[in-house]
Amino acid sequence: MSGVPPASDASASSAVSDAAPLSPGQERIIEAEFALPDGTWPAVGQRSWLRPVDTGAVVINGPLDRRALSRAFSALILRQSALRTTFRHLSGARAVQLVTAHAPGTADRGALSFHEGGQPVVDDILRRTLAETVDPRHTRLFRGHLVHMGEDHHVLLLQIHHLVSDGWSVSVLYRDLSALYTAEVRGEPTDLPVLPVSFAEICRRMHRERGGAEERRQSAFWRERLAAPGPALRFSPRPALSRTAESHVDVERVVVPSAVVGRLRESARNNEHRGGVAGPFLAALAILLHHRTAGTDIRVGMMIANRSRPDTEHLIGYFVNTVVVRLHIDPAQTTRQLVAAANVAVTEAIEHQALPIQDLRHALREEGAPEPLYQVTVALNTMRAGSLRLAGLECHDLDVEDMDPKVAPTTIEQRWVLEERAGSLAGTLTYRTGTFTREEIRDCLTDLDRALRLIGDADTTVGDVAASLEPVLRAGEGVR
């Protein structure tokens, strides 16, 4: 607790109960989206590029007990300390997260608000959220809005910032809130498992282990795996943007039908190197990237849960790390062989997932490796739980992704974020508008669908799949 600011600096109503270094993932978010180029933080009130609070919407039909839901929210905030954090920048360019003490009616005041007015209120809350300037020193990073839509009909907007949450955390949040509400309405104790450690304690442990023996072992693996990188991929005949330039982005919806996902699973299971959906998906994406750029050294940054230790399973927090899946494309190889290589690459990446990607970048930079390490990232969440399950009520998720922000700084050319929903994969492709036109991105989606349907066939070659894709115009070339 040394160096913890006084209570008045953390919250107008709550004392600081704990302080910890940032997780490596939180460090990356702050550096990429909030900190100024010199490492300092913006003045309070100054606009930053920190993404808005993420919003999930749940339709609730039936006789909802509002008081029980409010008490469940309070209990959730008491249970998950990451939901009570703010952030500070201390001297020496050191950042910390501060956990406020939980006192019902103070620390959680306003965490769940109630609204009348139906759909116009829902739309207004979403619009205001997207326009909000997020400052992690003061912005409430978790909150809920319950909107009364009609008799026994509500919409619950759950808003949580990625500084304190990841895809795994959303499933934990849904499970915890469901169990806590059910316990409240039934007057019974909850059967949720006891949390052996807090997210702050996990962050302290991560901080202690930075540079230790295990990190050195994993660093050696990655330096060998990523040695002699090929040139950066050239996606467009237009002049390349600076790797550090801020660029507007746009978003396109992505859906991989359940029948295709089923074939991907079968392809991964029946391969000589077994795996899950990630292997064949990345193999198909590698063919697409090869076709679009003529590159043969395909490196994709894969977002990974980074929760290999049992005591992290039930925690809300930002644990995510990025690992590099590297595939070498040969048009003569079969797609089955490429899926095998992808399955192996994903398995080995999972086994070496704990090394923070920024530490790997630093090690490679010292060895003179060129940037960028990767230009495309993929997040595949195939473990998402269902919607809330509240006793005596019918609940289902409401899609609000059309309200996503369209502008953010990034040096990533494409960011694929997909999660499994009723057997399909659904999500978004975020892309730099200085590199791709909307028409090119839609061609990419058409091509990916075709590649996914062909991937894993024993007699189909990578060249066969590439030849079936849309013609492209590459830098210095005519139409192919």
Side-chain angles (χ1 to χ4, degrees):
M1 290 283 294
S2 61
V4 176
S8 60
D9 190 37
S11 171
S13 56
S14 303
V16 173
S17 63
D18 199 0
L22 275 57
S23 73
Q26 290 173 326
E27 288 179 5
R28 293 192 298 273
I29 293 172
I30 290 293
E31 180 181 1
E33 302 182 20
F34 189 67
L36 299 174
D38 63 0
T40 61
W41 286 14
V44 175
Q46 181 179 347
R47 183 75 181 178
S48 77
W49 285 105
L50 199 62
R51 277 175 277 172
V53 176
D54 296 322
T55 301
V58 181
V59 175
I60 303 174
N61 293 318
L64 175 66
D65 186 332
R66 291 190 180 190
R67 290 185 178 178
L69 184 61
S70 182
R71 290 193 293 267
F73 252 76
S74 181
L76 175 66
I77 293 169
L78 173 61
R79 174 177 170 80
Q80 298 285 355
S81 61
L83 303 181
R84 294 182 269 123
T85 55
T86 57
F87 295 78
R88 291 293 185 276
H89 188 257
L90 304 182
S91 59
R94 185 167 64 96
V96 295
Q97 53 188 316
L98 307 178
V99 182
T100 59
H102 179 88
T106 55
D108 62 323
R109 180 180 294 141
L112 177 63
S113 57
F114 300 93
H115 309 266
E116 301 283 346
Q119 189 61 43
V121 174
V122 173
D123 294 341
D124 180 62
I125 292 171
L126 292 173
R127 280 192 298 268
R128 284 190 283 110
T129 299
L130 293 179
E132 180 182 40
T133 297
V134 176
D135 188 326
R137 292 164 290 197
H138 307 288
T139 301
R140 186 184 295 277
L141 300 177
F142 172 65
R143 59 199 182 227
H145 302 274
L146 184 68
V147 182
H148 182 245
M149 310 291 286
E151 185 175 358
D152 290 342
H153 182 41
H154 295 81
V155 169
L156 177 63
L157 299 176
L158 292 168
Q159 300 187 314
I160 187 167
H161 200 273
H162 65 166
L163 268 170
V164 295
S165 172
D166 51 23
W168 187 304
S169 295
V170 173
S171 295
V172 174
L173 190 155
Y174 273 34
R175 183 208 60 192
D176 282 11
L177 188 58
S178 297
L180 292 166
Y181 174 84
T182 299
E184 286 288 344
V185 296
R186 293 178 178 172
E188 301 173 352
T190 178
D191 59 356
L192 289 172
V194 174
L195 299 179
V197 295
S198 67
F199 178 64
E201 178 54 39
I202 295 292
C203 291
R204 282 192 287 269
R205 186 172 70 194
M206 289 179 175
H207 185 72
R208 290 193 300 268
E209 293 175 352
R210 295 284 282 274
E214 177 60 18
E215 180 167 313
R216 292 194 299 272
R217 183 188 72 83
Q218 295 199 18
S219 181
F221 166 84
W222 284 113
R223 294 200 309 274
E224 180 180 355
R225 173 51 56 92
L226 300 173
L233 302 178
R234 290 292 303 276
F235 288 96
S236 171
R238 294 177 293 279
L241 290 172
S242 164
R243 305 300 331 151
T244 59
E246 290 181 357
S247 169
H248 285 193
V249 302
D250 210 337
V251 180
E252 194 73 18
R253 299 295 299 277
V254 181
V255 177
V256 181
S258 57
V260 177
V261 175
R263 286 197 291 273
L264 296 180
R265 289 193 188 282
E266 183 179 359
S267 170
R269 284 196 302 266
N270 294 337
N271 199 278
E272 56 265 35
H273 297 286
R274 294 168 60 89
V277 170
F281 181 90
L282 289 166
L285 180 61
I287 295 175
L288 169 65
L289 297 175
H290 162 70
H291 173 66
R292 290 270 151 185
T293 67
T296 58
D297 183 3
I298 307 298
R299 302 182 300 274
V300 175
M302 185 175 75
M303 313 301 287
I304 198 161
N306 197 25
R307 293 180 185 243
S308 57
R309 295 180 178 178
D311 56 5
T312 64
E313 179 180 358
H314 301 295
L315 287 174
I316 291 175
Y318 193 81
F319 292 86
V320 169
N321 193 23
T322 304
V323 294
V324 184
V325 174
R326 186 183 192 184
L327 296 175
H328 296 280
I329 299 296
D330 178 356
Q333 71 187 140
T334 66
T335 58
R336 184 179 180 86
Q337 290 171 329
L338 183 60
V339 169
N343 284 346
V344 170
V346 169
T347 298
E348 291 181 343
I350 291 172
E351 293 171 350
H352 299 85
Q353 64 178 289
L355 175 67
I357 189 66
Q358 61 266 45
D359 294 359
L360 174 59
R361 287 184 188 278
H362 179 73
L364 293 174
R365 195 176 296 122
E366 286 191 334
E367 295 177 2
E371 291 278 8
L373 185 55
Y374 50 82
Q375 296 154 270
V376 174
T377 61
V378 170
L380 285 177
N381 182 5
T382 59
M383 299 181 64
R384 166 74 185 271
S387 184
L388 286 176
R389 294 179 174 86
L390 305 181
L393 303 169
E394 295 181 359
C395 302
H396 66 269
D397 288 341
L398 182 66
D399 193 349
V400 295
E401 286 182 347
D402 286 338
M403 299 291 289
D404 275 353
K406 302 297 184 183
V407 179
T410 182
T411 59
I412 297 298
E413 302 289 3
Q414 294 181 356
R415 181 186 296 120
W416 300 77
V417 179
L418 301 171
E419 68 177 24
E420 190 163 8
R421 300 176 187 170
S424 67
L425 290 173
T428 57
L429 167 57
T430 302
Y431 61 95
R432 296 219 297 175
T433 56
T435 304
F436 304 96
T437 66
R438 182 172 292 274
E439 291 72 21
E440 288 171 330
I441 287 298
R442 289 176 175 170
D443 284 346
C444 283
L445 294 176
T446 299
D447 283 347
L448 181 66
D449 178 74
R450 190 169 298 153
L452 289 171
R453 293 174 187 274
L454 295 173
I455 203 73
D457 290 350
D459 299 325
T460 303
T461 68
V462 169
D464 293 335
V465 177
S468 73
L469 306 183
E470 295 290 327
V472 296
L473 181 64
R474 297 191 186 122
E477 299 181 358
V479 175
R480 294 174 58 93

